[in-house]
Amino acid sequence: MALPIVRPRMSKAKKPRKGGRPAPPKAEPTTHQLRQEYYKRRSEQQALVELGLVDTEREPPKGDASWWADTRDALDRLEIVHAVWRWAGLTGGVPEPEDWDPQQGWPSEKEVEQVFKGWDDLLEQSGIGEAIFAEVTERVLEAHGRLREGEAALEAATKRLEREQRKLPELRRLAETARAKRDEADARAREAEAVRDALERERDALARRVEQLAGEAAAARASAAESGPADEDLVAEVERLAGAHDTALAERDAAHVEVERLREAAEQDRRTIAELTRALALVDQEDEAAAAEVVHAEDEPPESVLEAVERAASEARHLRFSPRAFETAAESPFRRPGLVLKTLRALDEMAERFAGGDMGRSLVQAAAEHGITQYRQDVAETTRKRYEDEYTFTWEGHKLWVGPHVGLGSGSGAGFVARIYLHVADGSEDGVPRGIYVGPVGRHLPDTTT
């Protein structure tokens, strides 16, 4: 019976120390050394048999390889599941069979099928379908889609603003043309009304003259009938009165025709004025909306004139606001408070230039450069004297007059037109620094025309 061979323990080779020379290789054992080692192992084995520690008649034990197969499959499954999660972590998605390239260190589809029923079984056992990253990825994609939509909307808005910007000069030109036509039509209407009134007065005088001549002619005829045969002077007088009567009637009829013509012309002018006013209002609205989008696209439009003044005052760096500005703004029914806010912002920019003394031009010209086209330098002196309380306000104990003002809107009525009244201090007034001060805002103050 062959004895089991007990193999000698082999000591591990020591690693060479860093920085030193490697140890020289050991010499191969000689034949004598191998023989001596064999005799020693046989002697030790024989001693174990004699001591009864080794049963030479017992069959050698057999190994159980099944546990190793299960362990090997478990390790393979663990490695493949780890590969699934690693792929998901690196790419953000669930892998497909064609995604894994064995040349890149990923398991092949065949290796997956050796330890799983199939690819779907692998994904189910890995639990990757319930991972939170799938929901995160979905939300990220949704957010990305909304972002792309927002970018497209922003790009479209930018292009629209660029188109509106290109329209602004033409809109301003149209506005100026409409204002000029409206002013011209207003002047023609006033002139026609004055001529019509004069002709009506003349017509009434002629009518009275006709009645007077008719009475005189009737009296002359009655006198001629009573006195018998008419003398030549009386006949001539009657004929003269009859002729004057006919002439007066003709002049009256002509005056009536002229009055009717002027009335029709005035009515036509009124219609023209109404059309120009509507066109001007539309141009102003488009101008205001485009400018507001370009300059203050992030602002919410104010809901009232008071809110517009409050916001402008909180933003202003150089424009000064009197208490009366807020009081009058609270009473204003003007329907376009956004235009008030835009104009006050432009006035603040102009006030900065004025306070610095670098105007180099009149306030009217400077206002036009800042987009303020209806700036007026002053009001009539008679208006200021007649309505002193309306055209003054108090600022830090100082009584200040208003004269310069800005017209807003077009049409008639406090809902369609408004005014911003100002006091321009050049620094010569004691205790009043150089600058532009805002007085009444909103309704048109009374003047000689109202």
Side-chain angles (χ1 to χ4, degrees):
M1 176 179 173
L3 297 175
I5 299 176
V6 179
R7 299 184 180 277
R9 295 180 179 178
M10 302 297 291
S11 60
K12 295 183 179 179
K14 294 183 179 180
K15 295 182 180 180
R17 290 177 298 176
K18 294 182 179 180
R21 295 180 180 178
K26 294 183 178 181
E28 294 292 331
T30 63
T31 303
H32 176 72
Q33 290 174 339
L34 293 174
R35 186 179 296 111
Q36 293 297 323
E37 183 69 24
Y38 169 73
Y39 290 149
K40 180 180 177 181
R41 290 198 303 274
R42 189 176 68 174
S43 175
E44 291 175 350
Q45 187 68 26
Q46 186 64 34
L48 293 174
V49 171
E50 293 175 355
L51 291 173
L53 299 176
V54 176
D55 187 0
T56 57
E57 296 180 357
R58 187 174 60 186
E59 294 182 0
K62 297 180 179 180
D64 185 5
S66 61
W67 69 271
W68 172 246
D70 293 341
T71 303
R72 182 182 58 196
D73 289 346
L75 290 174
D76 290 342
R77 285 195 297 269
L78 181 60
E79 289 182 356
I80 295 176
V81 169
H82 173 264
V84 171
W85 283 93
R86 184 167 180 266
W87 177 272
L90 293 174
T91 64
V94 178
E96 297 293 337
E98 59 270 14
D99 293 336
W100 281 359
D101 183 5
Q103 300 296 328
Q104 301 295 329
W106 297 99
S108 66
E109 186 177 5
K110 182 178 181 181
E111 291 172 337
V112 171
E113 293 176 350
Q114 288 177 351
V115 293
F116 292 95
K117 296 179 182 179
W119 194 268
D120 294 338
D121 183 56
L122 162 64
L123 299 180
E124 182 180 357
Q125 293 193 30
S126 68
I128 195 70
E130 301 175 358
I132 193 173
F133 80 89
E135 182 179 354
V136 173
T137 302
E138 183 178 356
R139 292 187 180 182
V140 169
L141 292 176
E142 291 178 358
H144 181 265
R146 291 193 298 269
L147 180 61
R148 293 295 298 272
E149 292 176 359
E151 290 177 351
L154 180 60
E155 183 178 359
T158 302
K159 292 181 179 179
R160 185 177 69 256
L161 290 177
E162 291 176 352
R163 292 194 299 269
E164 294 297 334
Q165 278 185 303
R166 290 192 292 269
K167 290 180 181 178
L168 284 178
E170 180 64 17
L171 289 174
R172 292 194 179 98
R173 187 188 66 80
L174 291 175
E176 291 299 328
T177 302
R179 290 190 185 97
K181 289 182 178 179
R182 187 188 64 182
D183 294 341
E184 182 180 354
D186 281 338
R188 288 201 310 270
R190 288 192 296 269
E191 181 179 356
E193 289 175 355
V195 172
R196 182 196 63 191
D197 294 341
L199 288 174
E200 286 179 348
R201 290 192 296 270
E202 184 178 354
R203 180 195 62 186
D204 295 340
L206 288 173
R208 291 191 296 270
R209 179 61 176 163
V210 166
E211 292 177 359
Q212 179 183 358
L213 291 174
E216 292 179 358
R221 290 191 185 94
S223 176
E226 292 176 357
S227 60
D231 57 11
E232 295 180 358
D233 293 337
L234 182 57
V235 172
E237 181 64 18
V238 171
E239 291 178 353
R240 185 186 66 79
L241 290 174
H245 178 265
D246 295 338
T247 302
L249 287 175
E251 291 178 354
R252 183 196 65 182
D253 294 339
H256 182 73
V257 171
E258 181 65 15
V259 166
E260 290 300 323
R261 186 188 68 79
L262 290 175
R263 181 177 289 111
E264 292 177 0
E267 183 63 27
Q268 179 62 35
D269 285 341
R270 288 193 186 93
R271 289 194 292 268
T272 302
I273 291 171
E275 293 175 0
L276 290 174
T277 299
R278 287 192 295 269
L280 185 57
L282 179 61
V283 169
D284 286 343
Q285 289 174 359
E286 293 179 353
D287 192 359
E288 174 193 355
E293 286 183 351
V294 172
V295 181
H296 298 282
E298 72 283 0
D299 284 354
E300 289 293 333
E303 296 182 357
S304 64
V305 177
L306 177 59
E307 182 182 347
V309 173
E310 290 174 343
R311 284 172 57 175
S314 64
E315 299 172 3
R317 295 178 301 170
H318 301 277
L319 197 63
R320 296 177 172 90
F321 290 78
S322 68
R324 194 169 175 209
F326 302 94
E327 296 171 0
T328 52
E331 300 172 353
S332 174
F334 188 51
R335 299 181 181 181
R336 299 167 61 192
L339 181 58
V340 177
L341 178 59
K342 169 180 172 287
T343 305
L344 289 173
R345 283 171 171 165
L347 286 172
D348 184 51
E349 296 175 358
M350 191 173 74
E352 180 180 8
R353 295 175 58 187
F354 181 77
D358 59 346
M359 297 291 290
R361 62 198 66 233
S362 68
L363 285 174
V364 176
Q365 294 172 328
E369 292 176 356
H370 289 275
I372 304 173
T373 58
Q374 297 191 53
Y375 183 89
R376 300 295 181 265
Q377 192 70 31
D378 206 347
V379 297
E381 187 65 26
T382 54
T383 298
R384 204 196 315 267
K385 290 180 179 180
R386 181 178 299 179
Y387 305 102
E388 177 179 349
D389 293 339
E390 297 291 339
Y391 284 83
T392 57
F393 65 88
T394 302
W395 185 83
E396 294 187 356
H398 298 276
K399 182 179 180 181
L400 303 180
W401 288 89
V402 297
H405 59 279
V406 179
L408 302 176
S410 58
S412 60
F416 297 96
V417 294
R419 295 288 186 272
I420 299 176
Y421 292 90
L422 307 170
H423 176 82
V424 179
D426 58 4
S428 61
E429 301 171 79
D430 186 21
V432 181
R434 178 183 176 88
I436 299 178
Y437 299 77
V438 180
V441 177
R443 295 179 183 274
H444 192 307
L445 296 180
D447 55 21
T448 55
T449 63
T450 59

